């Protein structure tokens, strides 16, 4: 019976437009995973000290997970069985079992943990702590902080992106991005950016680094080999977070203080659409097909959904109050909605 189920699951994955064909092993994983096969968003709520789980197919909340104080951002390991959440006011990293939907343990870190990056082998978690000048390194096996990377006097670590060899960290107070050699855990370069750099993301092959320079109202693009600026996209508001389409032709940018989202054509570096009246538009994520973008509205208890074909808001999904980050939970090649 299991054999026939695996074959059927493989066929279903094949006919889903935009989804990768899955192997027998992955089909077996789907059989075992249960709830994990659901494609969902996890949305931390700063005020309610919880994570709201949104089912993408149903387009509604299907559960919550209690956390410690002021959860901000979240990251999943590659199995999607474990998630890590930055509990800012508790100065801890919560370890979440996504099958029992419980925060099972906490790891103490420095003041105001915020940004998270997990190595591809699920062995090392990097944590930026807004309250000091360090990036903390957690060994996943021992669940302990094993080292701290010093960014220098006066530095304030904020958001983080992990490449193949380097770690990139924004310093929102000093207009910088620090480049850290992962192997040696030392700062090798300091990139000068526009004012108040916030979220930064790497493209698919890691050759380009995108930085949201909030105070300068622009999206900046850098070469990750030379660390030189390639281009700058002027915006009409302060850039907070963004997503880049897989083909790197479109960027959708949230602007928290401006209460809006801007859609940019990256081939011409022009804003093609502005969606206004989105209170505290903070963090954003695509669904797997990139047909929709989900935006947390930090000044409300909602996530707004943007249709990427019409470039309009199609619905709002109720979550916890003051939603912060948003992260998709989906096993590669598996799931009813891409």
């Amino acid at each position: 019976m299991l054999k026939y189920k695996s074959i059927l699951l493989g066929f279903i994955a094949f006919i889903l437009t935009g989804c990768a064909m899955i192997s027998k092993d992955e089909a077996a994983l789907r059989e075992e995973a249960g709830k994990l096969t659901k494609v969902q968003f996890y949305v931390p709520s700063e005020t309610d000290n919880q994570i709201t789980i949104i089912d993408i197919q149903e387009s509604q909340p299907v559960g919550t997970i209690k956390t410690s104080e002021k959860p901000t951002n979240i990251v999943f390991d590659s199995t999607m069985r474990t998630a890590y959440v930055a509990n800012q006011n508790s100065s801890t990293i919560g370890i979440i079992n996504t099958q029992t939907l419980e925060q099972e343990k906490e790891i103490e870190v420095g003041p105001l943990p915020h940004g998270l990056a997990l190595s591809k082998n699920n062995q090392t978690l990097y944590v930026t702590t807004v309250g000091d000048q360090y990036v903390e390194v957690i060994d996943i096996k021992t669940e302990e902080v094993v080292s701290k990377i010093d960014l220098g006097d006066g530095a304030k670590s904020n958001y983080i992106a992990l490449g193949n060899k380097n770690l990139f960290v924004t310093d929102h107070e000093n207009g910088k991005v620090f480049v850290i050699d992962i192997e040696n855990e030392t700062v090798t370069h300091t990139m000068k950016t526009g004012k108040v750099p916030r979220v930064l993301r790497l493209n698919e092959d890691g050759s380009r680094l995108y930085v949201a320079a909030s105070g300068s109202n622009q999206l900046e693009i850098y070469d990750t080999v030379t660390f030189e600026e390639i281009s700058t996209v002027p915006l009409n508001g302060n850039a907070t977070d963004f997503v880049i389409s897989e083909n790197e032709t479109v960027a959708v940018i949230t602007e928290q203080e401006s209460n809006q989202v801007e859609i940019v054509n990256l081939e011409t570096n022009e804003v093609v659409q502005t969606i206004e009246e989105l209170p505290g538009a903070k963090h954003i994520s695509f669904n797997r097909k990139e047909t929709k973008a989900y935006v947390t509205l930090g000044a409300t208890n909602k996530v707004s959904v943007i249709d990427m074909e019409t470039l309009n808001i199609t619905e709002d999904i109720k979550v916890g109050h003051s939603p912060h980050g948003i992260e998709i939970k989906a096993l590669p090649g598996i799931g009813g909605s891409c």
Side-chain angles (χ1 to χ4, degrees):
M1 180 62 72
L2 179 59
K3 176 181 178 182
Y4 292 109
K5 284 185 178 179
S6 297
I7 292 172
L8 177 60
L9 289 169
F11 177 71
I12 290 172
F14 176 75
I15 63 175
L16 284 172
T17 303
C19 292
M21 179 64 179
I22 63 173
S23 67
K24 290 181 179 179
D25 289 341
E26 288 172 329
L29 178 61
R30 175 174 181 164
E31 188 72 19
E32 298 170 0
K35 294 179 181 178
L36 295 177
T37 62
K38 294 287 188 180
V39 183
Q40 300 170 330
F41 282 116
Y42 276 41
V43 182
S45 163
E46 295 181 7
T47 303
D48 295 342
N49 298 331
Q50 69 178 31
I51 295 167
T52 301
I53 303 170
I54 298 173
D55 185 278
I56 293 181
Q57 281 187 301
E58 297 178 14
S59 198
Q60 65 179 12
V62 293
T64 58
I65 303 170
K66 293 302 295 181
T67 67
S68 297
E69 294 181 25
K70 197 177 180 181
T72 54
N73 294 299
I74 191 167
V75 66
F76 294 96
D77 72 5
S78 61
T79 71
M80 302 294 156
R81 286 171 167 77
T82 304
Y84 301 91
V85 61
N87 297 315
Q88 195 165 75
N89 286 1
S90 297
S91 293
T92 64
I93 301 301
I95 303 176
I96 293 171
N97 183 324
T98 63
Q99 293 176 291
T100 64
L101 303 183
E102 293 180 344
Q103 178 178 279
E104 297 185 334
K105 187 175 181 180
E106 293 179 84
I107 303 170
E108 292 187 5
V109 292
L112 306 178
H114 191 247
L116 302 171
L118 183 64
S119 62
K120 291 181 179 179
N121 62 9
N122 300 324
Q123 293 181 4
T124 308
L125 179 66
Y126 300 93
V127 181
T128 57
T129 48
V130 178
D132 62 24
Q133 65 195 53
Y134 301 99
V135 175
E136 307 215 8
V137 183
I138 295 175
D139 183 293
I140 294 300
K141 185 176 182 180
T142 63
E143 297 178 345
E144 295 179 346
V145 175
V146 291
S147 61
K148 293 185 178 184
I149 303 171
D150 191 351
L151 302 179
D153 292 343
K156 295 292 183 183
S157 63
N158 194 358
Y159 288 97
I160 191 169
L162 179 60
N164 292 327
K165 297 181 179 180
N166 293 316
L167 197 64
F168 300 88
V169 178
T170 53
D171 182 336
H172 60 291
E173 290 192 7
N174 299 297
K176 298 176 182 178
V177 168
F178 296 101
V179 183
I180 298 169
D181 182 282
I182 296 172
E183 184 176 354
N184 298 319
E185 295 187 355
T186 57
V187 175
T188 58
H189 295 84
T190 301
M191 302 162 57
K192 185 66 177 175
T193 67
K195 297 177 181 178
V196 195
R198 286 179 170 169
V199 173
L200 72 174
R201 298 184 188 272
L202 292 159
N203 65 347
E204 190 68 24
D205 64 11
S207 62
R208 291 187 174 191
L209 179 72
Y210 293 81
V211 180
S214 177
S216 297
N217 291 3
Q218 60 193 30
L219 180 68
E220 302 169 352
I221 307 170
Y222 295 88
D223 185 292
T224 57
V225 175
T226 64
F227 308 116
E228 294 180 355
E229 188 176 277
I230 298 172
S231 63
T232 298
V233 181
L235 303 170
N236 299 313
N238 62 297
T240 304
D241 191 6
F242 58 92
V243 284
I244 305 293
S245 63
E246 188 176 358
N247 61 10
E248 294 184 69
T249 61
V250 175
V252 187
I253 303 167
T254 62
E255 297 171 357
Q256 180 179 346
E257 287 81 13
S258 305
N259 300 317
Q260 63 186 23
V261 166
E262 294 192 277
I263 290 92
V264 171
N265 181 334
L266 289 174
E267 295 179 315
T268 62
N269 283 355
E270 294 178 338
V271 175
V272 296
Q273 178 86 329
T274 300
I275 305 174
E276 300 177 329
E277 298 182 7
L278 297 176
K282 188 171 286 187
H283 289 293
I284 185 169
S285 180
F286 275 137
N287 64 346
R288 288 167 60 173
K289 279 186 177 181
E290 299 184 356
T291 57
K292 297 179 180 180
Y294 294 72
V295 181
T296 60
L297 305 184
T300 72
N301 63 338
K302 297 177 182 178
V303 169
S304 285
V305 184
I306 302 172
D307 184 295
M308 290 305 296
E309 183 176 353
T310 64
L311 301 183
N312 291 316
I313 299 294
T314 58
E315 62 180 317
D316 291 325
I317 302 172
K318 186 177 179 180
V319 294
H321 291 84
S322 304
H324 193 103
I326 181 167
E327 199 70 30
I328 194 167
K329 178 180 76 66
L331 289 167
I334 298 178
S337 172
C338 294

